Amino acid sequence: MTPTWLDTPLAASRFAARVLDALQPLALLAARVHVGLAFFRSGLTKLQDWDTTLALFQDEYKVPLLSPKLAAWTGTGGELVLPVLLVLGLFGRFGALGLSVVNVVAVLSLEDIPEPALQQHVFWGCLLAAVVLWGPGKLSLDAWWWPRVAGRAR
C-alpha cells in the first residue's frame, strides 16, 4: 500500500506516461522524416552534378575500402533508396541501419569535419538509433503490413 501523500504524484506520473506514450508514434515519424529528407536531398544534390560528385569522392571524401567511383555510386544510391524506406516505415529498421552506415562513413570519410557538421551527424545517428531500437512506430507501413503477412503465414 502506498502512502496517501504519494497518490497525487503517482497519478500525475501515470498520466504523463500515457501522454508521452501516445506521442511516441508522432515522434518516431518526425525523426524518420527529418533524417530521411536530409539524406534524400543530399542524394539528389549528388545526382544534379555527377562530375562534381565523382571529383568530391576522388579528392575530398576518403571512403575506406572502396574506390572513389564505387563509393560515389553506393553512397548516392544509399542516400536515395534508404530514406524512402525510412520515411515510409517500410523495412524501417533496415532503412535506419543502412542510413546509420552511410552516416558513419560520411563522418569517417572527411579528414576535417567542422564541429557543427559533426554534431548534426551525431544527432542524425541518435534519431536513427531510436528507429533501430524501437522500430518505425505505429505510423508506418511496417505496422500495417507485417501483421497481415504474419496472419497469412498461419
Side-chain angles (χ1 to χ4, degrees):
M1 185 92 191
T2 59
T4 313
W5 62 272
L6 277 178
D7 287 346
T8 300
L10 285 175
S13 175
R14 287 187 198 111
F15 175 75
R18 283 193 306 275
V19 169
L20 293 172
D21 286 345
L23 292 175
Q24 186 185 43
L26 285 174
L28 285 166
L29 176 62
R32 292 183 356 242
V33 169
H34 178 75
V35 177
L37 283 176
F39 279 92
F40 190 75
R41 287 177 182 146
S42 178
L44 289 177
T45 300
K46 287 178 177 69
L47 279 182
Q48 286 176 349
D49 190 350
W50 189 248
D51 290 336
T52 300
T53 297
L54 289 175
L56 282 170
F57 275 89
Q58 183 70 44
D59 302 328
E60 295 288 323
Y61 308 149
K62 306 298 181 194
V63 178
L65 306 174
L66 298 177
S67 71
K69 191 172 188 175
L70 182 58
W73 278 103
T74 56
T76 303
E79 287 181 335
L80 293 172
V81 173
L82 296 170
V84 174
L85 296 177
L86 182 69
V87 170
L88 293 176
L90 180 62
F91 305 106
R93 283 187 161 124
F94 173 79
L97 277 171
L99 282 177
S100 295
V101 171
V102 172
N103 192 37
V104 168
V105 169
V107 170
L108 294 177
S109 68
L110 286 169
E111 291 177 5
D112 186 30
I113 185 167
E115 184 64 24
L118 177 61
Q119 291 306 313
Q120 185 67 59
H121 282 276
V122 170
F123 180 62
W124 291 334
C126 290
L127 294 177
L128 289 167
V131 177
V132 169
L133 291 171
W134 292 290
K138 293 177 183 177
L139 300 176
S140 69
L141 288 179
D142 281 355
W144 174 82
W145 189 54
W146 285 113
R148 286 160 178 74
V149 170
R152 218 179 296 147
R154 290 183 184 162

